[in-house]
Amino acid sequence: MSIVLSAEIGNERRIYTSDDMPLSVGGAACHLALPGLAKDGAIAFLGHDRGELFIQPAEDQPGEAPLTCNGVLLTASRWLGDRDEVGVGSHRLRCQVSGDTVCLALVQTTPPILELPEADAPQHPQASATDRAIAPTEFEPRWQSPPRRARFRISPRLLVMMAAIALLAAPAWFVITARAVRIETSPTADNLEIQGSWLTPKLGDSYLLRSGSYTVAAELEGYRRLSETLEVNGDTPSVVGFVFEPLGGLLTVTSRPVDGAEITIDGESSGSTPAYDIELGAGEHTVEITAPLHLPYQTTVVFEPGEAPQELEAVLVPNWAPFTVETSPANATVSLDGTVVGSTPLEHRIEAGERIVEIRRQGYKSFSRQLQVTAGEAITFGLVRLVPVDGRLDVASEPTGASVTIDGGFSGTTPLAIDLAPGASYKVTISMAGRRTFATVVEISSGRRSEVQAELELLSGEVSVTSLPPGAQLLIDGVSSGTTPQTLELEARPYQIEIQLEGYVSYRTNLTPEPGLPQAVSAELKEEGPAGLPQKITSPQGVDMVLVGPGRFTMGAARREPGRRANEVLREVELTQPFYLATREVTNSDFREFRSGHRSGAVGSYNLEIDHHPVVNITWNDAAKYCNWLSERAGLPPVYVERGGKMVARSPFSRGFRLPTEAEWAWAARNPNSAGARKYAWGESLPVPADAGNFGDSTGASVLGSAIPGYTDNHGATAPAGSYRPNPLGLYNMGGNVSEWVHDVYTVTPSPPSEVTRDPTGPSEGAYHVIRGASWMDTNTTELRLSYRDYGDSARPDLGFRIARSTQ
């Protein structure tokens, strides 16, 4: 190991390393030159060995400057340690050691005081037993090292003296550093000891304890042995108290009729039954015992200090019911509240309460049922026949948007994906106006996908257009197509035909050409001026019909309107022709003239057969046939024809009796004075005012199960046709009494909302027809609004109709 020597002589400081040694000490010619010496030669040499510094007298020392170490004359080598002082004549060099650095500084220049050895002492004290002997060296070569010095030895006499001093000082030191702490217990302990140190003397009522951690151990009969930790430090109070916990007793807990019940004492788990010798403290304890399928058991036990052991037997009350189920096919998985409990056939215990049973088997629809289980009451499902999962049918067409019917029922538009019950064949029909209808039969298999794709062939039909006077401008869907008369071949889709001639009122109609069935449009143009039409006409049965003029308005309802449904899309509609609309619904008496055997029936205790009440429980086809019957009585061409058992309207309408179109009904009901659209039949806001109409009121609550709060119209079911207040056009019950069939086939969005539709009559075909207006059964905001659109294909006890007629 190397060292660094820092030599400070006067104001000069020099640094030497191990490689610079040996260093000479003495006169002006030396490495460490001391001032004032007569000769320039060396008095001593400094060397090192294994990181330690030693000094060795020169063989030829000047007599004027004796060499000493700590006042002892040096005649041989000596190791230098921290605070050793080397004397060279009148100079003193003090040695300071810090790690591998040694500082040798000139600190004093006074005459030396020699410490001569005693007469019986060895001639050279530096070679005593406490030093390691260093043999003289010539310091040549530089790598030679002095021998190791001997160990330091202490004389026996010195040891005895030091021990005596220590024995006298220890008690005083302990008293000074200890803290007096009085230990109190409640109640007072029979015996108490401080553990954690061999020395814990007691002074009066207090213990003298030095800083540290101790254990206070105390005993008292009738109480649990006390063992508490005591931390002693500068913050420890002079009095420290501890409280004994009274001894309680031992508790044995058993349960029947089941073992293994969970034991909870004072909110903490204490194992399961049977449990023996549970140790409890004195006082009151709450014991709760729970087991699956049993009601919880709870009681209180009390122990006095030292009391004898107690036994507790808990009789658990069963809280389950037997459950059995079989399935076809078997081996279906049964779950209770989401946890699998087995497979069928299954016998199981179900805990009382509200439970959900679910049965699953791959390839079959899941079966689920909610149960209210009562303890002890068996639940038997018997045989549950699982239904195979549906198959998926994908229907596509070119072009898209074609109507799809499956087994005669409307199912949506292409592209369409629908789930169907397996193991059956279905007739799929794909149709679109102006295209040839596609039909096929497809078989559906469980869990498999089937596809139907159809390219719909474009169709056309012949249409001849004439006008009186001739030479009028012909517009088809707003595009000029020449003048009348002419014959056209048009695609079999809906068109709007308009015939214009200056000085004459324009003629407009809607038309759908049919392949193989030539159609004709004959327009008798009227000169511009007053229409000359009567404001009121009468049907062959004497029903008043009022003239409703043309106009443009908005159908549907805004998205934020309370109660609005998705099929009430806002759209602009223009009615270009006036029409007549009956002031009241068709009555039982009216309809029985057409069909004497019809029965409107009854609802609960309310008779729906009264002559002057609206006819109900009729289909749309029934209503259309009645209109044709009226047209025949009036000598007018019928509007409807029967095709395949269904009534279909001619296009354009003839002047015969018919059902009002949805647009005509909405225009007459919501805009009777051509002002802003009404929200309700009586006005713009709720609640329903008195005598507003026949709705679901308190009178009919026994039949309906609910009612409009606070409203009474005194009719439990239908009311007389033409009752209550009419609207500004003189029309009765446009909201209330019975809902009404209208002409249009139902579609969710009748026309693009961004376009103005003129004289709409609805789709050419479909399974359902539109129903408008509230009835005596309706009680909520949605149905009471005039914009509400319903649809159906069957009769109802609250559904009737009123008649309409075109003016040309």
Side-chain angles (χ1 to χ4, degrees):
M1 182 182 293
S2 62
I3 64 173
V4 176
L5 176 65
S6 174
E8 298 179 2
I9 308 297
N11 295 327
E12 184 179 5
R13 180 180 181 184
R14 295 185 181 182
I15 303 298
Y16 300 96
T17 66
S18 302
D19 295 338
D20 297 323
M21 297 182 186
L23 300 174
S24 57
V25 182
C30 297
H31 293 94
L32 274 67
L34 302 175
L37 296 182
K39 294 186 178 182
D40 295 337
I43 298 175
F45 294 94
L46 293 171
H48 81 95
D49 182 26
R50 291 184 290 274
E52 292 190 69
L53 188 68
F54 68 90
I55 189 166
Q56 178 177 316
E59 293 182 358
D60 187 16
Q61 291 190 37
E64 62 173 341
L67 180 65
T68 64
C69 182
N70 297 330
V72 178
L73 183 66
L74 288 181
T75 58
S77 299
R78 188 186 193 284
W79 298 101
L80 293 179
D82 190 33
R83 303 198 180 195
D84 283 345
E85 196 169 80
V86 176
V88 182
S90 62
H91 300 291
R92 296 288 182 271
L93 296 173
R94 180 169 296 163
C95 181
Q96 291 183 323
V97 179
S98 176
D100 296 336
T101 302
V102 179
C103 179
L104 199 62
L106 181 63
V107 297
Q108 188 176 356
T109 54
T110 58
I113 301 175
L114 298 180
E115 182 181 325
L116 298 178
E118 297 179 7
D120 56 350
Q123 186 178 356
H124 302 293
Q126 66 274 18
S128 67
T130 61
D131 291 328
R132 292 173 290 169
I134 304 176
T137 179
E138 297 298 329
F139 290 99
E140 292 292 344
R142 180 173 289 185
W143 49 264
Q144 290 180 343
S145 301
R148 304 294 291 178
R149 57 186 174 182
R151 294 180 177 275
F152 176 74
R153 298 182 181 276
I154 302 176
S155 67
R157 185 173 63 181
L158 181 58
L159 285 174
V160 172
M161 184 181 299
M162 292 175 63
I165 294 173
L167 288 174
L168 293 175
W173 170 82
F174 183 86
V175 172
I176 292 172
T177 59
R179 185 176 185 83
V181 179
R182 187 167 80 245
I183 308 298
E184 294 183 350
T185 64
S186 178
T188 303
D190 290 339
N191 56 71
L192 184 147
E193 62 179 14
I194 306 297
Q195 300 171 351
S197 175
W198 62 272
L199 187 61
T200 57
K202 193 172 183 181
L203 184 62
D205 293 335
S206 300
Y207 291 89
L208 293 179
L209 303 175
R210 296 193 68 250
S211 295
S213 181
Y214 299 86
T215 299
V216 177
E219 293 181 345
L220 178 61
E221 185 177 358
Y223 292 86
R224 193 179 304 280
R225 187 177 186 277
L226 187 146
S227 180
E228 299 286 348
T229 300
L230 173 64
E231 295 291 340
V232 178
N233 51 44
D235 297 329
T236 303
S238 58
V239 179
V240 178
F242 298 95
V243 178
F244 277 105
E245 180 184 350
L247 281 174
L250 301 177
L251 178 66
T252 296
V253 182
T254 58
S255 63
R256 62 181 175 89
V258 294
D259 287 334
E262 183 179 351
I263 304 170
T264 302
I265 300 178
D266 296 334
E268 295 185 0
S269 177
S270 298
S272 58
T273 61
Y276 303 97
D277 296 339
I278 301 173
E279 185 177 346
L280 297 178
E284 183 176 282
H285 302 275
T286 299
V287 181
E288 185 174 14
I289 302 172
T290 56
L293 302 176
H294 291 77
L295 294 175
Y297 175 92
Q298 190 176 61
T299 189
T300 299
V301 295
V302 179
F303 276 99
E304 299 296 336
E307 186 175 341
Q310 297 185 35
E311 293 185 2
L312 173 62
E313 182 184 48
V315 178
L316 302 178
V317 178
N319 190 38
W320 56 271
F323 168 68
T324 58
V325 62
E326 296 181 69
T327 60
S328 176
N331 296 320
T333 300
V334 181
S335 300
L336 285 174
D337 296 334
T339 301
V340 175
V341 295
S343 58
T344 59
L346 176 70
E347 293 184 1
H348 190 74
R349 294 179 176 181
I350 301 184
E351 190 167 5
E354 194 172 89
R355 301 285 176 260
I356 295 178
V357 176
E358 189 171 19
I359 302 174
R360 292 179 177 271
R361 194 180 194 277
Q362 188 173 4
Y364 294 83
K365 294 181 180 180
S366 63
F367 173 89
S368 180
R369 182 174 296 178
Q370 184 170 317
L371 303 177
Q372 186 62 48
V373 182
T374 303
E377 295 184 6
I379 298 176
T380 302
F381 269 14
L383 182 64
V384 177
R385 298 188 182 278
L386 300 179
V387 179
V389 295
D390 290 340
R392 173 61 62 92
L393 176 63
D394 295 320
V395 184
S397 70
E398 178 59 41
T400 61
S403 296
V404 180
T405 60
I406 299 178
D407 284 349
F410 177 73
S411 300
T413 58
T414 58
L416 174 69
I418 187 170
D419 291 329
L420 298 173
S425 297
Y426 296 88
K427 182 179 179 181
V428 179
T429 303
I430 305 173
S431 60
M432 176 181 279
R435 304 276 173 166
R436 188 177 301 279
T437 298
F438 174 90
T440 187
V441 175
V442 61
E443 290 193 8
I444 300 298
S445 299
S446 176
R448 300 186 60 183
R449 299 181 78 102
S450 301
E451 292 184 358
V452 172
Q453 293 187 340
E455 289 194 12
L456 303 180
E457 179 185 352
L458 186 65
L459 300 177
S460 63
E462 182 181 292
V463 177
S464 62
V465 183
T466 60
S467 68
L468 189 64
Q473 184 72 29
L474 173 62
L475 289 86
I476 300 177
D477 289 341
V479 178
S480 177
S481 300
T483 59
T484 61
Q486 63 173 300
T487 299
L488 305 167
E489 188 74 21
L490 298 176
E491 293 179 9
R493 65 174 180 82
Y495 293 92
Q496 185 178 76
I497 307 295
E498 185 172 0
I499 301 172
Q500 298 177 348
L501 185 63
E502 186 175 356
Y504 291 83
V505 176
S506 295
Y507 174 89
R508 296 183 183 90
T509 189
N510 295 308
L511 176 110
T512 301
E514 296 185 22
L517 180 64
Q519 297 187 60
V521 175
S522 298
E524 184 178 344
L525 301 179
K526 297 181 178 180
E527 295 184 8
E528 290 181 341
L533 297 172
Q535 291 298 312
K536 183 181 294 185
I537 63 174
T538 304
S539 78
Q541 291 181 306
V543 178
D544 289 338
M545 301 180 71
V546 297
L547 181 67
V548 182
R552 178 169 172 171
F553 65 107
T554 301
M555 289 184 67
R559 289 179 179 271
R560 295 186 178 181
E561 181 173 303
R564 178 198 186 264
R565 297 180 63 191
N567 64 357
E568 299 172 28
V569 179
L570 291 173
R571 58 194 179 108
E572 290 295 310
V573 173
E574 182 178 5
L575 298 178
T576 63
Q577 299 294 325
F579 61 96
Y580 287 102
L581 187 63
T583 58
R584 63 167 176 80
E585 308 101 327
V586 175
T587 65
N588 284 304
S589 177
D590 296 335
F591 196 81
R592 279 197 285 266
E593 285 188 44
F594 157 62
R595 184 179 294 169
S596 60
H598 175 73
R599 293 292 177 266
S600 290
V603 175
S605 61
Y606 296 106
N607 182 16
L608 303 178
E609 297 278 352
I610 302 172
D611 284 348
H612 59 290
H613 283 217
V615 65
V616 292
N617 281 320
I618 60 168
T619 65
W620 186 92
N621 273 357
D622 293 333
K625 290 177 180 179
Y626 171 84
C627 291
N628 278 359
W629 174 78
L630 271 185
S631 298
E632 183 180 357
R633 286 189 59 175
L636 297 172
V639 173
Y640 302 99
V641 295
E642 187 169 355
R643 292 180 183 172
K646 293 184 178 181
M647 304 300 289
V648 179
R650 300 176 185 272
S651 181
F653 292 155
S654 70
R655 294 179 61 233
F657 293 94
R658 59 177 172 83
L659 296 172
T661 66
E662 183 181 13
E664 290 171 342
W665 191 98
W667 171 243
R670 300 196 66 189
N671 301 74
N673 52 8
S674 302
R678 284 188 171 191
K679 187 174 182 181
Y680 304 99
W682 60 85
E684 296 303 312
S685 63
L686 292 171
V688 183
D691 201 36
N694 182 19
F695 304 105
D697 71 322
S698 58
T699 309
S702 60
V703 174
L704 303 176
S706 62
I708 299 172
Y711 184 72
T712 301
D713 57 37
N714 298 319
H715 290 282
T718 58
S723 55
Y724 301 97
R725 289 173 293 179
N727 74 1
L729 288 176
L731 303 174
Y732 294 88
N733 301 125
M734 295 298 282
N737 211 7
V738 292
S739 298
E740 299 176 15
W741 288 114
V742 295
H743 169 81
D744 300 37
V745 170
Y746 175 78
T747 182
V748 174
T749 305
S751 61
S754 60
E755 300 177 5
V756 177
T757 306
R758 292 183 175 86
D759 303 315
T761 59
S764 60
E765 60 181 3
Y768 303 97
H769 284 83
V770 179
I771 300 170
R772 296 299 296 256
S775 79
W776 61 270
M777 298 180 70
D778 295 323
T779 61
N780 61 50
T781 302
T782 296
E783 288 85 6
L784 293 177
R785 296 173 307 113
L786 289 174
S787 62
Y788 172 65
R789 299 180 71 227
D790 198 1
Y791 63 95
D793 64 351
S794 57
R796 296 187 340 210
D798 70 326
L799 177 57
F801 68 103
R802 72 178 67 220
I803 58 174
R805 260 192 65 187
S806 299
T807 58
Q808 58 179 9

